[in-house]
Amino acid sequence: MNLIRSRDYTAERAWGALDIARLDDISVCLHWTDQPYLWHVNDGEEVFAVMDGRVRMHWREQGDEHAVLLEPGDIFHARIGTEHRAEPLGVARILVIERAGSI
């Protein structure tokens, strides 16, 4: 049994992660950040759940850029091949579920 209070988690650097679980080849990590992440494409699907703070999620589809504001409790699913980046508005804590070793 392990209880994690996400609102209390901090890291030494932006996108620092607390490894919570490894489910076969899937990692579950809690990230703390106050800086945007780079544009990237994962080699698998990725799920973001905003635990604390607000995050503007950007993604590109067929050359068009889109964005949505995620609030605590919101979940974003990036399908395989979706170019995307997360931009926190202030400090945010995000639960990320993805293939282990993905960027």
Side-chain angles (χ1 to χ4, degrees), residues 36-40 56-68 76 82-87:
Y37 202 73
L38 64 147
W39 280 99
H40 67 287
R56 180 164 289 118
M57 182 62 73
H58 302 263
W59 74 96
R60 293 180 179 143
E61 285 182 313
Q62 300 174 356
D64 294 327
E65 187 173 326
H66 307 274
V68 65
F76 180 84
T82 302
E83 186 178 16
H84 61 283
R85 79 176 181 101
E87 175 191 8

Side-chain angles (χ1 to χ4, degrees), residues 6-99:
S6 60
R7 69 181 171 271
D8 296 333
Y9 174 67
T10 59
E12 299 279 325
R13 59 178 175 77
W15 294 99
L18 173 65
D19 293 327
I20 296 173
R22 188 77 154 298
L23 311 169
D24 294 322
D25 68 340
I26 303 298
S27 70
V28 179
C29 296
L30 178 62
H31 291 269
W32 175 94
T33 190
D34 60 354
Q35 298 295 315
Y37 202 73
L38 64 147
W39 280 99
H40 67 287
V41 176
N42 294 79
D43 60 354
E45 296 181 85
E46 188 171 17
V47 174
F48 296 80
V50 177
M51 308 303 290
D52 185 54
R54 298 169 42 192
V55 177
R56 180 164 289 118
M57 182 62 73
H58 302 263
W59 74 96
R60 293 180 179 143
E61 285 182 313
Q62 300 174 356
D64 294 327
E65 187 173 326
H66 307 274
V68 65
L69 182 61
L70 303 174
E71 304 277 351
D74 290 344
I75 298 169
F76 180 84
H77 173 223
R79 291 182 180 84
I80 295 172
T82 302
E83 186 178 16
H84 61 283
R85 79 176 181 101
E87 175 191 8
L89 306 178
V91 170
R93 291 162 182 90
I94 306 162
L95 189 69
V96 176
I97 304 163
E98 64 186 344
R99 180 177 293 166

